[in-house]
Amino acid sequence: MDHAADAYRTDLMTITRFVLNEQSKYPESRGDFSILLSHIVLGCKFVCSCVNKAGLAKLIGLAGETNGEEQKKLDVLSNEVFVKALVSSSRTCILVSEEDEEAIFVESSKRGRYCVVFDPLDGSSNIDCGVSIGTIFGIYLMKDGGEPTLADVLQPGRNMIAAGYCMYGSSCTFVLSTGTGVNGFTLDPSLGEFILTHPDIKIPKKGKIYSVNEGNAKNWDGPTAKYVEKCKFPKDGSSPKSLRYIGSMVADVHRTLLYGGVFLYPADKKSPNGKLRVLYEVFPMSFLIEQAGGQSFTGKERALDLVPKKIHERSPIFLGSYDDVEEIIALYAAEEKKE
């Protein structure tokens, strides 16, 4: 194919096409989910554009100083973008955002059947040093046709019907699962479209990387300390694992998904319940990892079986390649036997 013809590739699988294809497998579908997802995608494109301009905005005052308003912090702006995008889709009933203390109940005239939990800009403290950051989301279907209540979002992660994240890094990448595998899309800036670049992502069964903040090591419990020791000084003659820790969950999980290995944010003496939030960090990422053939564990149970009691609840998390997480599960089981 010559380059001129290549420039007009209209057979590319865009995210819109992909979702419509998925929808066509369910004749009873009303298209509500596709509409909701298109609003999430639009929010991600908008935030991507804002993130790319973040440094410049400070420098040359792109941030609406004409009306005397100070530049909005990017995480606050991102939250507003997603709340507006989700409410205006008329397909949501409850929104839970990392940025809002209370859940948002959508007014009845704009109400739909879906509950969306999201972290509008995860890792936002990394913006100034150019590290990848991202948006994480999970979607539940309302339990019944009555009035929406908090019980509709305080469900175990296994009840999610879809989850994903959008990473704003060297390229803008959107990773999505609707419960039938995981697919990755990359934003083509010249088209303004997400194109399928990573079809049917499968995490390697065993990896060569471990990812954890070792600065917390003195406060870890026995199984975590043993596992990390094993990564560095294996006793079976195998090579030690490499340590990679970015400190931005989206970037660390994205690498784990593609290259394998394990990402852990365990409980410790300082944070006995871990640090990551169940609804919009632990659940969506665990959903994606399991859909790609990996495992996710809290130190007590399968992460997606956890039943949250509060919307901003935290949990320890160990997720990644199936065999690596299996080793961690075995270490916790052995510890329990001792007790």
Side-chain angles (χ1 to χ4, degrees), residues 83 107 305:
V83 170
E107 59 179 280
D305 287 341

Side-chain angles (χ1 to χ4, degrees), residues 189-214:
S190 62
L191 292 174
E193 280 280 13
F194 280 102
I195 308 295
L196 181 63
T197 48
H198 296 73
D200 198 21
I201 297 169
K202 291 277 180 255
I203 187 169
K205 199 156 187 301
K206 195 172 175 60
K208 296 177 181 159
I209 296 170
Y210 73 104
S211 184
V212 64
N213 181 355
E214 290 217 42

Side-chain angles (χ1 to χ4, degrees), residues 121-137:
L121 206 60
D122 188 71
S124 54
S125 60
N126 288 307
I127 290 166
D128 289 343
C129 61
V131 167
S132 294
I133 53 182
T135 299
I136 310 171
F137 65 91

Side-chain angles (χ1 to χ4, degrees), residues 216-263:
N216 295 329
K218 76 181 178 89
N219 294 316
W220 285 344
D221 64 14
T224 299
K226 270 184 201 150
Y227 180 73
V228 172
E229 186 71 8
K230 203 171 160 187
C231 289
K232 296 197 276 196
F233 305 101
K235 298 210 166 52
D236 59 3
S238 61
S239 300
K241 287 191 191 307
S242 295
L243 168 65
R244 298 281 183 274
Y245 187 71
I246 299 164
S248 171
M249 190 194 192
V250 174
D252 278 315
V253 172
H254 187 66
R255 184 202 54 248
T256 305
L257 195 58
L258 296 183
Y259 299 164
V262 66
F263 167 82

Side-chain angles (χ1 to χ4, degrees), residues 264-282:
L264 39 151
Y265 207 115
D268 58 36
K269 293 185 190 110
K270 224 171 35 177
S271 314
N273 297 318
K275 201 151 170 244
L276 298 176
R277 315 289 186 140
V278 172
L279 274 181
Y280 41 78
E281 290 176 322
V282 169

Side-chain angles (χ1 to χ4, degrees), residues 7 16 59-60 86 98 143 149 152 155 168 196 202 205 251 261 267 280 318 326 329 333:
T16 313
L59 191 67
I60 55 175
L86 292 164
E98 194 264 347
K143 282 178 174 172
T149 66
D152 288 306
Q155 299 187 55
Y168 315 111
L196 181 63
K202 291 277 180 255
K205 199 156 187 301
Y280 41 78
F318 306 83
E326 196 63 36
I329 293 171

